[in-house]
Each structure stands twice: as C-alpha cells, then as structure tokens.
Amino acid sequence: GIISRRDLDIALHHGFNHAPVKGYMSRNLKTITPDTSIGEIESIMVTYDVGRLPVIRDNNLVGIVTRTDILRQRHADWDLGSPQQKIPQRKKPKSFLTKPQHLIPDLTWKLLTKLATSAEARGWNLYLVGGAVRDLLLTQEGEKVELQDIDLVVDGFHNSADVSAGVELGKALQAKYPQARLEVHGEFQTAALLWHNDPIFGNLAIDIATARTEFYPYPAANPEVEASSIRQDLYRRDFSINALALRLNESRQGELLDFFGGVLDLESRQVRVLHANSFIEDPTRIYRAVRFAVRLGFTIEPQTEEYIRYALDSGVYDSFFQGNERKAPALQSRLKTELKYILQADYWQSALQLLSRLTALRCLHPDLKLDSQLWWQIRLVDRFLRRFDPEHSLSHWQMRLEVLLSYLAVADRDRVAKNLQLSTDSITRLNTLNQVAEEVKARLEKDISPSQVVKCLRQYQLPMLLLLAATTCQQIRRLIWSYLTTWAEVKSPLDGNDLKAMGYQPSPLYKEMLDSLLSARLDGVISDNPEAAKDMLKKYYKS
Ligand code: CTP
C-alpha cells in the first residue's frame, strides 16, 4: 500500500493516532517496472494525479520515481538536446467535450455563455462542475440533458478569485434575467439564482460559488471553507465522477478538467472516492456512493468499499449515539436528505440492500439491521401504500423510513427520529406504535365482528394503520386490510334526514341510532335496503 502525507494529517486531526495504517493506505496503487518509459510514467501521473510511483521488480519494491525525478530527467533531456520521448500508446481519456451546446437546452446554454463572458471580462474562469458534467458525459449523442441544478465555480486567471466573485456574477446575471430570484448563502458567499415555474426555464437553480477548499473540524461536522483554486475545489469533492469541471469561457470552451481520473471511472462505470478519509469526515458520502452506484448502474470501486467499511468499523459514528453531544449534521439533517433521495427513488430496494450489505445502516443507529423480517415488513408497507395511497398523498419515503426505524427499541426510535429531524407526526407515530399495537391486539385478537373492528380502527389515521399493518401479526394485518378495502367504506343505510322524516326528534340519540344501523349493516344483520333499516329502528327506538 501507499499513504500520502495529507491522509496522515487528516487521520491525526480526527484522533486516529493509534489506528493501524491499513485503514488509510491505498492498495490499488499504480506501480511501474524498471522498464517503464518516461512518457508512460508521465501519462500515469497525469491521469491518476499521483506524484510518486513505486518501482516493482519480481514483486519487490526496488525504487520510487517522483514528479521531481521526471522533471529533472526532462530537463536533462532538453539540456542535452535529446529528442522528446514519445507519449505512449495508453488510451488517453477524453479531455474535451466537443459541442456541449448540443447536449444542453439552447436557452440554458445561452445563459451559461453570457455568464462566462461576464466572468472572462472580470479576469475569471467559469466552470460547470459536479453532477451536471457527469451527466453530460453520460449522455448519448442526440439527447439533451434537462439541467435543473447547475453548479458553477469561478476562479481567477492567476490568483484565487475574490470570495465574493460568485455573488458579483450572480448579480450580473440577475440584471439580465430579472425574473430570477437571487439568494446569497452562507458565510462563504455563494449566489443562487432560482426560477420557479418559469415559462422558459421551468424550475431551474444555478449556484455560483467561488473556488474553495474545505476542511472538517471533526467527523460528521459541516466543513469550514476558504478561497482557493479550481483544482482544490474539485479535490474537496466526493467521487472522481463528481470532481470534473467543464470550462465555459470562450477560449478553450468545453475543456474538461479531470485531475482525478473521473472520465476513466465513468468509462469503467465505477464510483471511486477521492481520498481515504472522505467517509470518516462525511458519512453522507457512503449513502451518496450507494445512490450513484445503483442509479447509474455502476460498481463501488473495491478500495472505496474498503474505505467505507473502515469508516463504519472505526466506530467514529457510534460515538454520536453514546451521549457525545457534539452536533453532527452529516448524521442528522444531511443524512435525512440522502435517505429521502434513496427511499423515494424507483431503485430504493436495491439501494437499501446495498446499504445493508455495507452495514451502513449503523449511521442511523448501531443496532439497526435489515434482517429478513424487516426487509419483508418494508416491502409490505410498500404494497399497502400502492393499494391505499396510489395518488401519493402521503410521503412514501417517510413511511418506509418509519418501518425501518420501528425495528429499534422505542427510546432509540425517538432519539433517531429527532436526530434526523423527522416531522412531529412521524415522531409521534414511532413513539406510540407499540402502545397502539398492544391496544389493537387486545381488542381484536378474539373472534370479533366487523363492526367491532371498525370501531377500533377508525380512531387511527391511514399512516398509523399502514405502519401497524407492516409491523404486526398476520391476523391483525388481515383485519386492517379488510377494514381499509371494505369495511371503512360501508355507510349507514339511513342518514339524519331519514330519521327526521320518520318522526324522530333531532337529539344526541341520532348518533347512537346511526351507529347501530352501521354496525348492523357491517355485521350483515340488515341488508342495504332502507326499509330493513327503518324496521330495525322502529323495533328499538320509539318515535
Ligand atoms: N458533493 C460532495 N460531497 C457531498 C455532497 C456533494 O463532494 N456530501 C459535491 C459533489 O461534487 C457533487 C456536488 O457537490 O457533484 C453537487 O452535489 P449534489 O447536487 O448533491 O449532487 P449531484 O452530483 O449534482 O447529484 P444529483 O445528480 O443527484 O443532483
């Protein structure tokens, strides 16, 4: 393996002084042999952004070549006037996206080029970064990418751009598109331009940030930031496929900045993290790795998977559940956002299984395990949701999450639900589920008539009934099913007006009379013929 000084610094910073180096070292290191040519060495260094290449002969380390060695060698070659060595036949990854305007809707492209011109006039470079570049590179010719979230980064031609460069560009853009709303976020100023239901752009968000570098004061914290170059800005990101930048300036427009082998990873369809401590610092990245892998049909690169497992096994997140009162947004609100993305996507089942295989559910709580029963329950609630909420008036992702959390002891559920900042309704449901389950069981376990089932279940709302159905025994589940499919729809054959017409004086007794009719109807004592209902009333109530 190999370990960089930066990895060591971060590990020490997070208190991993005694942790064995095997958790941090890169195993899939690039190596060369004594026969590798200089051209090939350069190409490896550039493609994979490595500055040191171990030289291996017969499985033994026999030397190391650094960037400085290569520079010296080149310099010596030039001094001696020797011919340039040929760059080897290694397949060069794509370094230009030719005609990005063919992949981006025309008006969006026009807007981006206007912004690039404003940046250039101020001595800045403008780059499209993050997911949009990834998606553009994955797009087939002839298709267009509907960009809704556009992340842009500005940096200076020679020095770092001023921290407020993003905001200045945002304001300039808003002057040209007054229908957009401008928001300025955070201490490290980022401008966001937002179009909502716009006749031209629909819903579009453009974020303009100044290139920055960031560091995490402690694991799972929010990062702190300072101004920097585009390269550093890309290095702070999660995966190589998300760390690509596309130059928008007119000169060299379409140039791809790929410092970390992102294009090759897109071609080999893998999610590869940029540095060893990434998951220690930001556990939401574990969920993001899973989301991208499943969504794009990629694999998680083996070393990246090892880093994930190492971060999880290190126990660094568990301390958050052991009374450590430090705020950990990456285990709270930000984790909820990732869970939401995953649990509301079509691919939620595969993603959840992959999270479970990686043991990543322990970021929610150390005891949470997707055992076969929980897996069955969570798919069950889905069947109920499809049947009883086809319009999606409930948050299906939240119901799935509630089933997941119902696996935990009540006190833990409460803590986790509050950590994740779930809605008050959700928290209450999780807290009262066991009590409701007991009450319902006590009332419905014996041989019981449909009217008694209705009386018991109608006090609960649909989300509680669905949660209960997924987590209770078969007998109760069947009753909930019958209640929701049939019995809840049954109406009393008469209403208040009918009672009045029959000569009964309006009084609180009406409710009791209508209830008795409903029960009789539910239990099959009377048919839905109003005459039968009237006969029954006359028998029991004097007008
Ligand atoms: N990012 C990161 N670490 C995170 C979240 C985000 O490094 N925990 C970076 C990535 O470079 C990412 C970019 O910020 O590409 C934008 O984040 P986001 O919009 O959440 O992701 P996208 O990659 O745009 O993915 P999606 O297509 O799902 O929007």
Side-chain angles (χ1 to χ4, degrees), residues 100-154:
Q101 59 272 40
H102 290 180
L103 301 172
I104 296 175
D106 294 343
L107 292 170
T108 312
W109 177 250
K110 213 167 143 193
L111 181 155
L112 290 177
T113 45
K114 272 189 199 167
L115 197 57
T117 310
S118 308
E120 199 152 355
R122 291 167 167 84
W124 299 330
N125 296 305
L126 185 71
Y127 301 96
L128 178 66
V129 295
V133 185
R134 177 197 68 218
D135 294 344
L136 284 173
L137 287 168
L138 288 173
T139 302
Q140 307 293 330
E141 258 186 47
E143 283 175 23
K144 293 234 176 201
V145 186
E146 281 310 320
L147 297 175
Q148 290 206 311
D149 282 311
I150 298 183
D151 289 321
L152 301 172
V153 170
V154 200

Side-chain angles (χ1 to χ4, degrees), residues 1-3 7 21 24-29 276 303 307:
I2 198 160
I3 178 144
D7 290 334
V21 72
Y24 297 106
M25 67 187 188
S26 289
R27 287 172 207 272
N28 57 352
L29 67 168
Q303 165 96 73
Y307 290 145

Side-chain angles (χ1 to χ4, degrees), residues 219-512:
N222 275 339
E224 294 176 8
V225 291
E226 60 190 40
S228 159
S229 67
I230 182 72
R231 190 181 187 287
Q232 283 299 322
D233 188 287
L234 295 172
Y235 188 59
R236 79 186 161 87
R237 290 165 187 269
D238 48 6
F239 309 113
S240 65
I241 57 170
N242 287 343
L244 291 157
L246 181 81
R247 209 175 130 92
L248 295 173
N249 289 37
E250 210 180 326
S251 57
R252 308 208 311 275
Q253 192 174 68
E255 184 184 6
L256 277 173
L257 270 58
D258 177 15
F259 299 109
F260 315 109
V263 174
L264 284 181
D265 284 338
L266 281 175
E267 281 169 8
S268 53
R269 309 184 73 75
Q270 60 177 358
V271 178
R272 187 168 54 85
V273 76
L274 292 192
H275 63 90
N277 290 287
S278 192
F279 300 114
I280 298 267
E281 295 187 319
D282 182 357
T284 63
R285 288 181 168 168
I286 301 175
Y287 283 65
R288 290 173 62 84
V290 166
R291 174 155 71 86
F292 291 122
V294 177
R295 180 170 106 195
L296 303 172
F298 283 23
T299 51
I300 298 182
E301 180 258 345
Q303 165 96 73
T304 300
E305 180 168 333
E306 272 187 46
Y307 290 145
I308 292 179
R309 290 187 186 277
Y310 182 80
L312 290 163
D313 291 344
S314 73
V316 63
Y317 315 131
D318 301 351
S319 68
F320 176 70
F321 301 98
Q322 289 155 0
N324 181 342
E325 291 308 317
R326 253 200 317 213
K327 280 213 171 85
L331 291 170
Q332 299 177 292
S333 51
R334 284 175 37 216
L335 184 56
K336 178 174 80 172
T337 307
E338 280 305 324
L339 276 166
K340 180 175 172 188
Y341 282 143
I342 286 177
L343 290 175
Q344 74 187 6
D346 297 342
Y347 51 76
W348 69 269
Q349 294 201 9
S350 323
L352 196 57
Q353 278 182 312
L354 183 51
L355 284 173
S356 158
R357 189 170 68 70
L358 294 168
T359 68
L361 293 176
R362 65 198 273 181
C363 290
L364 290 169
H365 190 278
D367 295 346
L368 187 58
K369 283 185 193 66
L370 189 67
D371 59 18
S372 54
Q373 186 182 340
L374 183 56
W375 178 232
W376 186 76
Q377 291 178 341
I378 195 162
R379 281 178 302 152
L380 194 63
V381 85
D382 218 47
R383 238 175 287 155
F384 270 76
L385 281 165
R386 261 179 279 141
R387 176 73 168 76
F388 299 111
D389 186 35
E391 308 289 324
H392 283 244
S393 44
L394 306 175
S395 293
H396 289 200
W397 73 269
Q398 202 171 296
M399 292 303 308
R400 291 175 190 131
L401 182 57
E402 286 178 29
V403 175
L404 210 57
L405 299 186
S406 70
Y407 178 88
L408 299 171
V410 181
D412 292 331
R413 275 179 217 168
D414 182 60
R415 181 137 186 237
V416 174
K418 284 180 181 153
N419 273 343
L420 292 175
Q421 295 162 16
L422 298 192
S423 68
T424 326
D425 279 359
S426 254
I427 297 176
T428 314
R429 252 191 311 279
L430 285 164
N431 281 342
T432 52
L433 174 65
N434 287 18
Q435 200 186 324
V436 169
E438 268 171 40
E439 275 165 26
V440 169
K441 223 170 177 180
R443 283 179 68 176
L444 302 188
E445 215 165 26
K446 291 165 247 82
D447 237 2
I448 200 140
S449 64
S451 63
Q452 285 166 305
V453 174
V454 170
K455 269 188 202 132
C456 170
L457 295 183
R458 73 177 166 200
Q459 54 184 322
Y460 306 112
Q461 293 188 326
L462 184 61
M464 177 53 106
L465 291 174
L466 299 184
L467 189 57
L468 189 60
T471 52
T472 187
C473 63
Q474 190 188 51
Q475 188 202 349
I476 306 288
R477 179 162 46 255
R478 285 189 172 161
L479 292 176
I480 297 177
W481 181 269
S482 301
Y483 168 73
L484 290 173
T485 49
T486 322
W487 299 331
E489 304 297 323
V490 175
K491 299 264 176 318
S492 164
L494 301 177
D495 61 18
N497 288 332
D498 298 322
L499 300 194
K500 218 163 159 187
M502 286 175 70
Y504 290 106
Q505 285 306 312
S507 79
L509 206 57
Y510 267 34
K511 185 178 176 316
E512 184 191 306

